[in-house]
Amino acid sequence: MSTRTAADRAVLGARIRTLDPERPWAQAVAMRDGTIVAVGADADVREACDARTELVDGTGLVIVPGLTDSHLHPVWATDLAVGVCAEGMLDLAAFGAALRAERARVGPEAIVRAWSVDYGLFGDTLDGGLLAELAGGPALIVLHDLHTYLATPDLLERAGMTGEERFPDASEVVVRDGRPTGELREFSAYFRLAGRLPGASPEARRARVVEVLRELNALGLTGAHVMDGSPETYELLRELEARGELTMRLIVPLWVKPEHPESLHAEWTAHIDAHGELWRGGTAKFFIDGVVETGTAWLEAPDADGGGRHPYWPEPDRYAAAVATYAGAGFACTTHAIGDRAVRAALDAYAAAGPPRRGLHRIEHLETVGDATLERLAGESVAASMQPLHMRWRRADAGDEWARRLGPERVAHGFRTGDLLRSGAVVALGSDWPVAPADPRYGLAWARLRRAPGARDAPVFEPAQRLGADDALAGYTTAPARLAGESDRSGRIAPGLRADLTGLASDPVATPADELVDVPICLTVVAGRVVHRA
């Protein structure tokens, strides 16, 4: 065979779960110029190789199509996932000890940072004064859902935030007895503070993005849908790609905000075809509500504390008009909608706006949704992007803030992955990292179990919504490809498709869900390039 057409690389001797109905299983796969050129038995695939082909020994590996997280923040998180990771910390004393250890590391005048902080650590009230005591000075923490932040009083004073402030959306500086408590609800309030504090240099930020991508590769992820883009993000990705540092395939929506003027919409819609070899735009991201825990999710009826009555966009008609602007320009639209009323508003906006040029409009999270609204998704060709592992903060006694505020009826309509699939809707899965761990093995396990993997005696949340192993894997492979309009290019292992592969030490479908998190990730290939090998 001519060396001009020989494969660059081939994996031989593996078990390959292709998700291609024409050939469900294979032994080997060959790649050239980022594309799969041969799939089949070792002998057949060797015919596509020559002496220059790199041969990868796949003995003992199960190869699946490259895993894609459909909701991730690998760029924005470089500003948020900083300092102490409070993942799993449920004891205030232990949290305080971790903050003081960070204080010793960064110095007495520095700002101590922490992220993935559980609301339950602070009881009923988020108190910046208590945070200052715990951290021994200035501190800023990010609650686990990224929608709430807590700052110490000196940081608020440094930023000139001394009372109530007005925002163009539902953001709020929480004030009690005329003084800010330190709690900052939603993004505009946080950005007001963060914009007045020193941040990382562009070089440090770029280096951290590269580091995060490598960490994600080591988890078996070959792609992600990045939910926080801007034209500046596109410039960063162009730089990373030019330097050979972009190691994941990314779809990056532009984050459209209530304060954006019409002139900016006109400027941004011109980016419809922005792309590189491994990334592309062509999508737009909106928030129509917040989160249940702070009463900012938009609900059909108020929550137990009277919250949930207002959307994130103060004028929902403006949200619908912005959706129509971007959809009319060809964009696929993505809307964060956690509450049942928010989901209905997103569907109404999409129905009025019309379909995108490529792929499907989609809704993120859908943490509670009623029957009539749920049935609309499949019929109106709207995809659901969901994160079952976000149930990890729920408590068996329904005493967590999410369940308490919603009440039993809406809790029963929580995270309806099974019902959505049975209705015919496309259901893609993800983590929303750094909200939850990005490890797809963990996400797959939660989708199948509806409880923490390994906690075999723990109650199962809404067992009828559990996904089968095949459907869970589809949520990280074929479903992201479908909602992106790329089923003819990715999500399966077949000739002519992208050479994105994930290799594990055992089959993620056949492996019991409780054991998935311990299955080693042995090989990650993006566009035919090995980006992780154990």
Side-chain angles (χ1 to χ4, degrees):
M1 176 178 290
S2 166
T3 56
R4 183 175 59 86
T5 59
D8 304 318
R9 182 171 291 106
V11 180
L12 303 172
R15 293 181 65 227
I16 301 177
R17 183 182 282 275
T18 68
L19 302 189
D20 179 6
E22 299 295 320
R23 187 199 299 269
W25 288 96
Q27 188 181 26
V29 55
M31 301 155 273
R32 180 175 64 245
D33 297 331
T35 300
I36 295 169
V37 294
V39 179
D42 277 357
D44 297 329
V45 170
R46 283 183 182 275
E47 293 181 5
C49 305
D50 68 5
R52 300 186 183 183
T53 303
E54 179 189 349
L55 301 180
V56 177
D57 183 3
T59 303
L61 299 189
V62 176
I63 307 291
V64 298
L67 299 177
T68 294
D69 188 311
S70 292
H71 192 121
L72 203 65
H73 298 282
V75 178
W76 186 30
T78 59
D79 298 324
L80 299 174
V82 177
V84 175
C85 176
E87 169 73 30
M89 288 188 186
L90 300 177
D91 178 76
L92 190 63
F95 180 58
L99 294 181
R100 288 190 293 277
E102 180 71 359
R103 166 70 62 209
R105 187 185 72 84
V106 300
E109 304 300 322
I111 300 172
V112 165
R113 301 286 300 272
W115 58 286
S116 197
V117 178
D118 195 297
Y119 282 92
L121 278 175
F122 287 85
D124 296 332
T125 304
L126 292 172
D127 185 341
L130 174 58
L131 176 62
E133 293 178 17
L134 293 171
L140 174 63
I141 65 172
V142 183
L143 278 294
H144 68 72
D145 54 22
L146 304 189
H147 284 255
T148 306
Y149 311 82
L150 184 63
T152 51
D154 53 345
L155 288 189
L156 295 177
E157 292 176 8
R158 191 184 307 182
M161 301 174 73
T162 58
E164 293 183 358
E165 300 203 23
R166 288 180 175 271
F167 298 99
D169 50 40
S171 297
E172 179 185 2
V173 176
V174 177
V175 173
R176 186 171 61 247
D177 298 329
R179 298 289 296 173
T181 66
E183 179 182 355
L184 307 174
R185 291 182 182 172
E186 301 299 336
F187 309 119
S188 292
Y190 167 74
F191 290 146
R192 183 73 57 86
L193 175 70
R196 301 172 183 179
L197 299 176
S201 69
E203 295 77 15
R205 192 164 185 261
R206 180 188 61 75
R208 178 55 182 149
V209 171
V210 172
E211 183 180 28
V212 167
L213 295 178
R214 288 293 191 179
E215 292 168 356
L216 296 172
N217 292 150
L219 297 174
L221 289 168
T222 65
H225 299 175
V226 178
M227 290 292 143
D228 49 68
S230 67
E232 290 73 28
T233 310
Y234 295 167
E235 288 305 313
L236 171 63
L237 295 177
R238 289 187 181 99
E239 178 185 357
L240 294 180
E241 196 157 59
R243 298 164 65 109
E245 295 175 330
L246 186 58
T247 58
M248 290 183 71
R249 195 179 300 277
L250 305 177
I251 294 176
V252 187
L254 295 170
W255 182 356
V256 183
K257 302 176 183 179
E259 64 266 30
H260 287 167
E262 291 298 325
S263 58
L264 188 69
H265 296 330
E267 176 186 334
W268 278 20
T269 51
H271 292 281
I272 178 67
D273 294 318
H275 73 281
E277 290 296 319
L278 289 178
W279 66 272
R280 71 168 176 85
T283 63
K285 169 76 181 295
F286 306 82
F287 283 80
I288 193 58
D289 72 347
V291 292
V292 170
E293 288 84 348
T294 60
T296 56
W298 193 16
L299 302 171
E300 297 282 8
D303 66 25
D305 292 349
R309 295 174 293 175
H310 305 291
Y312 184 72
W313 286 59
E315 300 171 16
D317 287 348
R318 288 188 57 241
Y319 155 75
V323 167
T325 295
Y326 284 85
F331 283 72
C333 294
T334 297
T335 298
H336 167 114
I338 278 180
D340 44 16
R341 179 66 183 90
V343 175
R344 181 159 64 90
L347 288 168
D348 291 345
Y350 294 162
R357 179 195 300 177
R358 170 168 48 177
L360 304 173
H361 294 314
R362 52 189 279 184
I363 299 176
E364 307 300 307
H365 310 309
L366 305 96
E367 289 188 6
T368 182
V369 58
D371 292 341
T373 302
L374 180 145
E375 292 295 333
R376 290 180 57 185
L377 273 84
E380 298 176 20
S381 297
V382 175
S385 168
M386 301 186 71
Q387 303 78 35
L389 72 169
H390 285 194
M391 292 185 291
R392 59 205 289 275
W393 292 287
R394 294 175 62 180
R395 286 170 37 183
D397 63 358
D400 56 279
E401 197 68 1
W402 184 87
R404 186 192 68 79
R405 281 181 174 266
L406 287 180
E409 183 177 348
R410 282 184 294 212
V411 166
H413 285 163
F415 296 89
R416 300 179 69 180
T417 48
D419 287 343
L420 281 160
L421 270 180
R422 286 185 286 271
S423 77
V426 176
V427 178
L429 301 177
S431 66
D432 201 5
W433 184 85
V435 171
D439 192 331
R441 297 165 296 183
Y442 192 61
L444 289 166
W446 262 99
R448 291 166 58 177
L449 294 169
R450 304 280 293 198
R451 60 162 172 77
R456 297 175 187 270
D457 295 331
V460 175
F461 299 114
E462 299 82 48
Q465 303 303 326
R466 288 178 293 198
L467 299 187
D470 288 295
D471 288 331
L473 181 59
Y476 277 92
T477 51
T478 55
R482 285 182 63 191
L483 68 81
E486 296 180 344
S487 291
D488 59 338
R489 305 179 69 187
S490 62
R492 295 171 291 123
I493 299 175
L497 274 63
R498 291 166 172 162
D500 299 342
L501 313 170
T502 301
L504 305 94
S506 69
D507 181 7
V509 171
T511 300
D514 277 302
E515 300 173 13
L516 263 178
V517 292
D518 297 320
V519 173
I521 301 295
C522 303
L523 182 70
T524 309
V525 177
V526 176
R529 172 187 172 193
V530 175
V531 295
H532 166 74
R533 184 182 297 178

